[in-house]
Amino acid sequence: MVKYTLESDVDDYVKKSLTSLGLKKLFDFNEKSSMSPYLKESLRGAAKTDKKSNFGIPDFSIEKYKVPVVIECKLGNNKHISSNKSGIKLDEASVAKYAVNGAVHYAQHMIASKKFSEVIAIGITGDSEDDITISVYYVFSQAIPPKFLASYQNLNFLQNEKSFEAFYKDATITEEEKHVILIQSRDEILRQAKKLNKLMNNFNIGIEQRVVYVSGMLLSMQDVVNKSGEIVDVGLTVNDLLGINTDQKRDSVIIINHIQEYLDVKDIDLDKKRIMIEQFKNVISLDNARDEKKAIDKLVGTILFEDASITKQIFAFLYKNVYLSIDMTQGALDIMAEMYSTFLKYALSDGASLGKVLTPPYITNLMARVLDVNMKSRVMDLATGSAAFLVAAMDLMISDANSKLGKDTTIAEKAIDDIKKKQLLGIEVDAKMYTLAASNMILRGDGSSNIRKADSFNTPRELFSSFSSNVLLLNPPFSYEDFGLPFFEFGLDNMEENGLAAVIIQDSAGSGKAVNTTKRILAKHTMLASIKMPTDLFVPNAIVQTSIYVFRAKRPHNFKYDIVKFIDFRNDGYKRTERCIKDVDHPIERYQDIYLLYKLGFNASKDPSFHGNLWNLKQIYCEDTISEDGNDWNFDKHIDYDTTAEPVDFFNGVKSHLSWDFSNYILGLPMMGNLKFASPYKFEKIKAKDIFNISSATPSFDKGDLTPVTDKSFDYITRTTVNRGICQYTGFIESEGIMPAHSFSLGLMSMVFFYRKNPWYAGQFIKIVTCKDSNVSEFAMIYLESLLNKLTPKLLSVLVRDVETVFNECELILPITKAGKVDYTWMDNYVSNIRKSLINNLAHSSIYS
């Protein structure tokens, strides 16, 4: 065995392997810079030196198949890959030193160039010909981690078209993998949106302005490309904003000018362009003060290192954490909707009262799949919002075109162009939401041609007849008449015959509170299915009972013979909290199953891909007729529940009642008369500052910042008084971020103190109070907690900013020893005796009988 000493030895191994497969150099594969001009252009700026003028040069490239292949080689298997818990590291040092990291870096840059939508990246390292490591990755996004093809450990799949096609089928993303990616991407968007919201709040950017900033700035980061496909002006970067405070060179004006240029080269209706520019100007560039240099906010402290305008600081956050980190063109993820929902959560209104309850992307995707959206579909949404349904539909339509016509073929490209320009229709009356929808579709490859700013009900019928929609997807404003159901009726009336429609709407619409509309709908259209959705679906913006109703257009419902499928999907496998969506019970499998259940009914259980162990079909599915009354559209009207209880049900019920009884018994105990324990030497008034230290609990965390782990658990404390301020339990994050045990938390909204026996993490608006004497016992701390909470009325009467000052000057009446010290031992004995008395009282109570 000859040991390799040079990186060229690994290169020689690759050339030998490719040649042995029958591939010819400069014909079937290229080495270094001998790649095609098109591939080379896609690698502009991808050099590992990170100099924008350079081209990246992978060691080998193959362009003969439907997807390009790039190969990066390194000497020594210790240089194969560098990764962490987040995946492959793509910092400059890792990309330069490790084979896999370099190959994936090149592939993602090729995708970012918009010249390729998928690339095969291969990292190859070796210490000798007998000790070679090969890793193959399918890269399909500039931001989402690539798919590792673990079973491919050699280059044989590159031999010919047939072998590559077999490999490609394994490589491409499955529906289950797409769902996982969608949820992961959404979680990342929500995490960044929360931070961005905090940044904008720090700069006093209005709630309703924030998402316009997002859409406008993301547009300004796009390259300006003419009709020939040439880049005439590269998108703005952080370095383009110079902080010059003149009318024409202000940072915000530079952004607006680039948006204007970007939209000018697009084939966009003039009125649409005018509305969009007007919205962006009114928000981004109207206030000159936001272009004056300010101190750097800590949220962009790792991106910018000297004073910069508010405009630049927001731009820098978006550029680093959204534009470069999140793929805006992949799948059904609606970035604008996720940002907007997050901002609404922090508004004075929760959004629900405004009817602005935006549909999560995994639901828009589900509804589009249920209606069998495909490359021939003509999809309409009459309450477009941020265009979430059109985003989901376009993704399925493009995927179907590529599958049926061949990815990157001329005929497929023509079909996709028609999909974007002719087969999507969205109508939105609100100017801001209209701007978001248009921006959203432009950022995704420009499906904005038929996004119209109009009132759906006043739109000329000729538009609908000429469009001839065969698919309607809708989440109407819940605040509208009959919970928004007239939007659905209007859409059904303006579809082609036998078109399919789905609406997600409040259950009240189908339970008898909108019967005038439901009766009119049934007189003209057929109900096919009703899917009951989780109550927490729209958390944190709203808690609302909803269902998805599925209809066939322009065929009156036959109440005697038309059977409706009723599905209970309240358990979709997710638990939604204010901070995130949690996988608790096989959600990926459940979302796959719900499609089969809708299509096959009880026969779904016979399908080999159905996860029958997750469902009790008799409890969550039934088929039934509906009445002419229009008040029985919901699942609960048609299912007979099994009320037979199992032993475990009784056991859990008794446990629940005992816990309740114990809690109420203890809380209801009167003041006991035997609490006359030994008195201290004397009591004295002592200022709080003489025995306590008080400060802001920093760092403080949003829920989205916390990463639970299995082997550790700490309290996460917020300003609530429920559950002693404990909002949730979380895992260890970082040693400097945790508050010490044996301390007090103070919630600034309630001004209530709680003793913390264990280490804890702080949410927003929390103070930490510690004793200057480190030897105070647990029971003495409980004594002090009761004493501190006597200060609550006084602290509630002052401004939050003055709490520390006022607290320090407050006087507490404390027991004192003969030596003149605070008597913590007496406090300990006092609380200990009370505790013993309570336990003894409980042991002899009737609650045990």
Side-chain angles (χ1 to χ4, degrees):
M1 179 180 71
V2 179
K3 188 173 179 64
Y4 288 162
T5 58
L6 299 171
E7 190 169 297
S8 59
D9 293 333
V10 184
D11 293 345
D12 290 341
Y13 169 86
V14 174
K15 282 186 282 187
K16 180 180 176 181
S17 298
L18 294 175
T19 303
S20 69
L21 292 174
L23 303 180
K24 297 179 181 179
K25 183 178 177 180
L26 299 179
F27 183 75
D28 294 314
F29 71 90
N30 293 308
E31 188 176 6
K32 305 294 184 183
S33 59
S34 59
M35 67 188 86
S36 71
Y38 188 83
L39 181 58
K40 184 178 181 181
E41 184 62 31
S42 75
L43 287 163
R44 180 185 289 277
K48 295 171 188 175
T49 56
D50 205 30
K51 294 177 181 177
K52 195 168 183 179
S53 60
N54 284 355
F55 291 92
I57 304 177
D59 292 323
F60 295 91
S61 59
I62 299 174
E63 302 177 64
K64 66 176 294 183
Y65 301 127
K66 66 197 300 182
V67 179
V69 179
V70 292
I71 301 174
E72 187 68 7
C73 305
K74 293 294 177 187
L75 174 64
N77 287 319
N78 63 335
K79 296 296 183 184
H80 190 70
I81 186 172
S82 177
S83 62
N84 54 29
K85 65 179 182 179
S86 299
I88 299 168
K89 295 168 67 175
L90 293 173
D91 58 279
E92 189 172 337
S94 300
V95 165
K97 293 179 181 178
Y98 296 91
V100 168
N101 304 65
V104 169
H105 164 76
Y106 287 135
Q108 289 189 339
H109 203 94
M110 292 163 66
I111 291 171
S113 74
K114 305 294 192 296
K115 293 183 179 295
F116 299 98
S117 58
E118 52 189 345
V119 181
I120 307 303
I122 305 175
I124 302 179
T125 55
D127 294 301
S128 69
E129 187 168 344
D130 298 321
D131 191 9
I132 295 288
T133 302
I134 298 176
S135 293
V136 182
Y137 290 82
Y138 173 65
V139 185
F140 56 94
S141 165
Q142 69 188 74
I144 299 171
K147 180 180 179 179
F148 176 47
L149 285 306
S151 61
Y152 291 87
Q153 299 177 14
N154 57 50
L155 301 178
N156 293 346
F157 70 92
L158 296 173
Q159 184 169 14
N160 53 44
E161 294 279 357
K162 186 176 180 180
S163 62
F164 189 87
E165 187 62 34
F167 158 80
Y168 182 72
K169 288 181 180 178
D170 288 341
T172 48
I173 305 299
T174 65
E175 285 299 319
E176 289 189 358
E177 288 168 334
K178 284 182 180 179
H179 190 94
V180 173
I181 290 166
L182 181 62
I183 296 300
Q184 290 174 343
S185 299
R186 183 174 186 250
D187 282 348
E188 178 61 15
I189 275 288
L190 292 177
R191 192 170 74 86
Q192 298 300 343
K194 288 176 182 177
K195 292 181 179 180
L196 179 59
N197 186 75
K198 189 187 296 184
L199 177 65
M200 289 180 159
N201 188 64
N202 292 346
F203 288 137
N204 296 313
I205 307 294
I207 293 289
E208 293 294 323
Q209 294 180 341
R210 295 177 189 182
V211 77
V212 180
Y213 263 96
V214 173
S215 58
M217 287 185 171
L218 289 177
L219 282 179
S220 75
M221 296 170 195
Q222 310 301 308
D223 293 337
V224 178
V225 182
N226 63 22
K227 292 183 179 180
S228 301
E230 299 173 316
I231 298 176
V232 297
D233 191 6
V234 296
L236 296 180
T237 67
V238 177
N239 293 333
D240 291 317
L241 305 182
L242 304 175
I244 299 173
N245 204 9
T246 64
D247 286 345
Q248 295 304 312
K249 294 188 177 180
R250 289 193 291 122
D251 289 345
S252 61
V253 173
I254 291 173
I255 290 171
I256 296 298
N257 288 343
H258 189 86
I259 296 173
Q260 180 85 56
E261 183 183 11
Y262 178 78
L263 295 178
D264 282 344
V265 301
K266 294 280 184 182
D267 188 17
I268 295 177
D269 178 80
L270 289 177
D271 281 342
K272 178 182 296 184
K273 191 187 306 181
R274 176 187 56 77
I275 294 169
M276 293 178 71
I277 292 295
E278 185 177 278
Q279 286 288 314
F280 293 135
K281 283 183 176 180
N282 286 341
V283 171
I284 297 175
S285 65
L286 191 63
D287 188 350
N288 293 13
R290 291 176 183 169
D291 288 325
E292 296 173 1
K293 290 187 177 182
K294 306 281 186 183
I296 297 299
D297 189 277
K298 65 179 181 180
L299 287 167
V300 289
T302 59
I303 307 172
L304 300 174
F305 306 103
E306 57 183 24
D307 290 357
S309 68
I310 291 173
T311 302
K312 183 170 183 174
Q313 293 191 49
I314 295 171
F315 183 96
F317 183 95
L318 278 168
Y319 188 81
K320 175 70 181 298
N321 298 311
V322 177
Y323 177 71
L324 293 182
S325 302
I326 299 168
D327 196 326
M328 291 175 282
T329 64
Q330 285 291 327
L333 182 64
D334 178 359
I335 288 179
M336 299 306 166
E338 301 304 335
M339 288 280 184
Y340 192 57
S341 292
T342 299
F343 298 154
L344 274 179
K345 181 180 70 175
Y346 294 98
L348 294 176
S349 165
D350 64 1
S353 61
L354 303 175
K356 296 173 182 175
V357 183
L358 304 181
T359 316
Y362 51 94
I363 300 300
T364 59
N365 178 261
L366 171 67
M367 291 170 66
R369 289 182 63 230
V370 160
L371 299 191
D372 289 326
V373 169
N374 57 63
M375 61 178 286
K376 298 293 186 183
S377 298
R378 296 179 302 282
V379 183
M380 177 170 67
D381 182 354
L382 301 181
T384 301
S386 64
F389 281 112
L390 299 183
V391 165
M394 187 169 76
D395 177 58
L396 291 177
M397 295 162 79
I398 291 174
S399 178
D400 187 53
N402 283 327
S403 174
K404 291 177 178 175
L405 303 178
K407 190 175 178 66
D408 295 329
T409 61
T410 302
I411 190 171
E413 291 300 321
K414 173 62 170 62
I416 291 170
D417 190 57
D418 284 345
I419 287 169
K420 292 178 178 180
K421 293 181 178 178
K422 301 177 182 178
Q423 294 174 227
L424 302 166
L425 173 62
I427 299 177
E428 174 57 51
V429 69
D430 181 83
K432 178 170 63 275
M433 297 304 295
Y434 168 79
T435 299
L436 299 188
S439 300
N440 220 356
M441 300 303 283
I442 290 170
L443 288 169
R444 304 182 66 85
D446 206 352
S448 67
S449 299
N450 279 328
I451 305 292
R452 308 291 181 95
K453 183 187 180 302
D455 179 338
S456 295
F457 299 105
N458 293 327
T459 299
R461 296 298 178 96
E462 291 77 15
L463 173 64
F464 302 115
S465 60
S466 62
F467 184 75
S468 191
S469 169
N470 58 7
V471 172
L472 171 67
L473 291 164
L474 190 63
N475 174 1
F478 293 173
S479 58
Y480 194 80
E481 172 192 346
D482 281 353
F483 310 98
L485 201 57
F487 278 88
F488 192 51
E489 178 190 14
F490 185 83
L492 285 165
D493 290 347
N494 286 283
M495 294 180 70
E496 70 173 25
E497 188 174 353
N498 289 319
L500 294 176
V503 62
I504 183 165
I505 198 167
Q506 281 184 272
D507 281 356
S508 300
S511 67
K513 295 184 179 180
V515 289
N516 291 333
T517 306
T518 54
K519 287 181 177 180
R520 289 198 306 269
I521 289 175
L522 293 172
K524 297 171 284 185
H525 313 287
T526 304
M527 189 174 195
L528 302 178
S530 172
I531 305 173
K532 175 66 179 174
M533 301 305 289
T535 305
D536 63 352
L537 186 64
F538 295 103
V539 165
N541 294 90
I543 297 177
V544 60
Q545 301 276 353
T546 59
S547 290
I548 296 171
Y549 302 141
V550 183
F551 273 76
R552 186 177 300 282
K554 296 186 176 177
R555 179 182 171 274
H557 193 94
N558 187 311
F559 296 99
K560 185 175 182 180
Y561 297 111
D562 283 333
I563 302 297
V564 179
K565 297 176 179 178
F566 292 91
I567 304 171
D568 185 355
F569 197 37
R570 275 174 282 206
N571 179 12
D572 71 342
Y574 287 122
K575 179 180 179 181
R576 298 157 190 86
T577 66
E578 185 180 349
R579 75 176 182 92
C580 68
I581 177 172
K582 295 180 180 179
D583 176 341
V584 294
D585 190 8
H586 304 88
I588 297 167
E589 293 84 354
R590 288 181 182 276
Y591 273 85
Q592 296 301 314
D593 287 352
I594 209 70
Y595 175 78
L596 291 173
L597 199 53
Y598 167 76
K599 286 294 183 183
L600 303 176
F602 284 113
N603 288 329
S605 61
K606 300 176 183 179
D607 191 289
S609 63
F610 187 75
H611 304 86
N613 60 310
L614 297 180
W615 310 95
N616 182 333
L617 287 187
K618 291 183 179 179
Q619 291 184 5
I620 61 99
Y621 180 82
C622 70
E623 297 177 356
D624 200 2
T625 57
I626 58 175
S627 71
E628 299 180 28
D629 297 330
N631 61 0
D632 56 351
W633 288 15
N634 297 328
F635 174 84
D636 291 331
K637 287 277 191 177
H638 299 269
I639 194 74
D640 292 324
Y641 290 101
D642 182 4
T643 57
T644 305
E646 300 293 333
V648 67
D649 299 314
F650 294 109
F651 179 75
N652 289 333
V654 172
K655 280 201 306 183
S656 175
H657 276 277
L658 275 175
S659 175
W660 175 259
D661 287 341
F662 286 152
S663 174
N664 282 333
Y665 180 81
I666 291 172
L667 291 174
L669 283 176
M671 178 67 180
M672 290 174 284
N674 60 345
L675 295 182
K676 295 181 179 180
F677 310 124
S679 299
Y681 176 70
K682 66 175 179 178
F683 288 95
E684 280 187 4
K685 289 182 179 180
I686 299 178
K687 286 190 175 182
K689 66 181 179 183
D690 293 331
I691 57 171
F692 296 111
N693 292 314
I694 183 171
S695 62
S696 294
T698 55
S700 61
F701 296 92
D702 284 332
K703 290 183 184 179
D705 298 331
L706 304 176
T707 306
V709 294
T710 56
D711 58 339
K712 295 172 183 170
S713 182
F714 298 98
D715 297 341
Y716 172 63
I717 308 303
T718 62
R719 50 190 163 170
T720 180
T721 58
V722 177
N723 196 29
R724 291 186 59 82
I726 301 171
C727 183
Q728 67 177 38
Y729 298 95
T730 184
F732 189 74
I733 304 173
E734 50 188 8
S735 59
E736 64 269 24
I738 198 165
M739 300 297 112
H742 211 53
S743 59
F744 300 95
S745 65
L746 171 62
L748 292 182
M749 299 298 110
S750 61
M751 296 300 173
V752 174
F753 296 82
F754 289 111
Y755 167 60
R756 303 295 170 198
K757 182 178 179 179
N758 301 311
W760 51 285
Y761 287 108
Q764 304 292 320
F765 307 107
I766 298 292
K767 297 281 185 184
I768 180 172
V769 178
T770 56
C771 282
K772 292 187 175 182
D773 187 333
S774 60
N775 296 316
V776 181
S777 71
E778 176 185 345
F779 289 162
M781 292 289 277
I782 293 173
Y783 181 100
L784 291 172
E785 176 190 277
S786 298
L787 204 59
L788 286 169
N789 281 317
K790 292 294 184 179
L791 304 179
T792 295
K794 185 173 184 64
L795 296 179
L796 283 172
S797 69
V798 303
L799 296 174
V800 169
R801 68 187 182 193
D802 296 328
V803 164
E804 289 187 25
T805 302
V806 173
F807 172 82
N808 283 327
E809 295 302 317
C810 285
E811 292 182 328
L812 302 169
I813 300 176
L814 295 168
I816 303 297
T817 66
K818 288 183 179 180
K821 303 289 186 181
V822 176
D823 197 342
Y824 294 113
T825 300
W826 184 87
M827 295 184 207
D828 180 282
N829 291 332
Y830 188 79
V831 170
S832 177
N833 285 328
I834 293 177
R835 187 170 181 272
K836 288 176 184 176
S837 297
L838 277 170
I839 292 173
N840 183 63
N841 194 308
L842 179 62
H844 293 88
S845 71
S846 61
I847 198 170
Y848 283 109
S849 60

